[in-house]
Amino acid sequence: MSEHILVSQENRILKLQLNRPEKKNALTAEMYSKLAEELEQANTDPQTRVILLTGSGDSFSSGNDLNDFLQNPPQDGSSPVFRFLKAISTCEKPIVAAVNGIAIGIGTTMLLHCDLVYASETALFQLPFVNLALVPEAAASYLLPQKLGYQKAAELIYLSKKFGAAEAKELGLVNDSFTADALQDNGLRVATELSQKAPEALRLSKMLLKRGAAQVVAETMQTEGELFRQRLGSPEAQEVMQAFMQKRQPDFSKFS
Ligand code: COA
């Protein structure tokens, strides 16, 4: 088992906990692979009716591990990050997310594929793709304008504007917010409630709610994935990654 993903199963709830608190639960290729594997297995495991996703320490996830991305960039559509995105976006069983702190980049966009999202009042969200000289992933370029309207999506993506739990709730990105202490209990309570419902009715209902957008989500992810891979190798993105490691601001003045 990957030490950075804690997996437990109790009362038909599969709990997946991002567990790299010293790096704010930044996601590596190894972590994406483990998450993908667990989500894929959950579809056919009769012991799993609901998935509960959360983080460790004071963060949900600070997004892609920027060092890992430099050293181990995704090569093609079967790379761990894309396998994870496919698995979470096509998971047949309900996913409850308990967002216990910062949720940056894919830490926010993966929530678009969770069914019920609860956040701690201290949670902070950000989509810093343009700041990183990258492009959105996880079909966020389709789902966010659709959900929030174009102007709000543009503000969050082009300006990489940070927002808190109250705004996330207002925007419909989270269902509700709780004190940090009450968050995990609430996530478990909701997951337990779902786990006691008729499982097939729940799976079919999820399929029906998602089916209108399923094809465009898959196509968008593919287009985003191709551009994302190209961007990672771009001089603009290389400047960002070097600046991050050297703990300085990136300088885009030389690019046209
Ligand atoms: N990739 C790699 N390492 C990361 C990381 C990431 N996405 N996010 C945090 N870390 C590391 C930091 O480098 C630091 O490592 P160190 O202790 O070896 O120096 C450690 O996690 C703690 O982070 P730190 O920056 O000291 O904590 P903070 O509370 O001051 O700030 C963040 C937290 C998340 C706001 C800040 O780390 C950050 O902006 N990270 C990058 C987020 C990002 O751009 N993600 C990519 C999205 S596509």
Side-chain angles (χ1 to χ4, degrees):
M1 190 177 95
S2 160
E3 57 173 323
H4 292 142
I5 304 292
L6 299 182
V7 181
S8 60
Q9 197 171 39
E10 209 175 332
N11 300 326
R12 298 192 158 175
I13 299 168
L14 175 71
K15 184 174 176 189
L16 301 176
Q17 183 166 10
L18 312 178
N19 186 41
R20 204 179 165 221
E22 72 285 1
K23 296 287 181 188
K24 308 286 175 189
N25 300 319
L27 290 154
T28 61
E30 181 212 20
M31 291 164 76
Y32 285 127
S33 292
K34 181 66 183 166
L35 288 168
E37 192 185 303
E38 291 294 333
L39 289 167
E40 287 161 3
Q41 276 174 18
N43 282 333
T44 52
D45 183 353
Q47 288 312 311
T48 296
R49 288 188 174 185
V50 184
I51 295 127
L52 177 59
L53 183 61
T54 192
S56 303
D58 64 1
S59 311
F60 179 66
S61 175
S62 61
N64 291 304
D65 184 299
L66 295 171
N67 298 313
D68 197 48
F69 253 23
L70 259 191
Q71 284 153 18
N72 195 11
Q75 300 297 332
D76 56 37
S78 66
S79 296
V81 58
F82 299 122
R83 186 177 156 210
F84 163 69
L85 288 174
K86 183 172 179 201
I88 196 167
S89 63
T90 58
C91 184
E92 293 167 24
K93 297 183 180 173
I95 305 175
V96 177
V99 183
N100 57 309
I102 51 167
I104 301 186
I106 200 166
T108 291
T109 59
M110 73 168 85
L111 302 174
L112 298 168
H113 303 284
C114 296
D115 302 289
L116 294 168
V117 180
Y118 301 98
S120 128
E121 285 163 356
T122 56
L124 198 61
F125 302 83
Q126 191 186 18
L127 300 158
F129 302 108
V130 172
N131 278 4
L132 296 169
L134 299 173
V135 292
E137 27 73 328
S141 61
Y142 169 75
L143 292 170
L144 284 176
Q146 198 205 35
K147 223 172 156 70
L148 314 182
Y150 178 82
Q151 261 69 28
K152 191 69 201 179
E155 181 181 76
L156 298 185
I157 292 175
Y158 305 160
L159 295 178
S160 303
K161 188 178 163 266
K162 289 185 180 135
F163 55 103
E167 187 172 354
K169 186 176 167 187
E170 228 170 82
L171 293 172
L173 295 173
V174 311
N175 292 81
D176 213 344
S177 60
F178 293 88
T179 61
D181 286 347
L183 177 72
Q184 297 298 344
D185 281 353
N186 184 71
L188 187 59
R189 183 184 59 74
V190 173
T192 303
E193 189 179 333
L194 288 173
S195 75
Q196 290 166 353
K197 298 204 179 283
E200 194 175 4
L202 202 48
R203 279 199 304 279
L204 289 171
S205 298
K206 175 166 177 171
M207 183 273 290
L208 289 168
L209 263 68
K210 295 262 180 182
R211 83 183 251 284
Q215 194 178 339
V216 63
V217 163
E219 285 166 7
T220 305
M221 276 191 194
Q222 190 169 345
T223 305
E224 289 173 343
E226 282 160 20
L227 279 174
F228 198 95
R229 286 201 304 279
Q230 286 171 24
R231 294 301 308 164
L232 272 176
S234 71
E236 289 177 1
Q238 296 291 321
E239 163 60 16
V240 172
M241 305 296 165
Q242 280 160 20
F244 179 74
M245 285 189 294
Q246 294 162 5
K247 298 198 185 286
R248 63 171 173 84
Q249 287 301 311
D251 173 10
F252 299 119
S253 60
K254 63 175 179 278
F255 298 110
S256 54

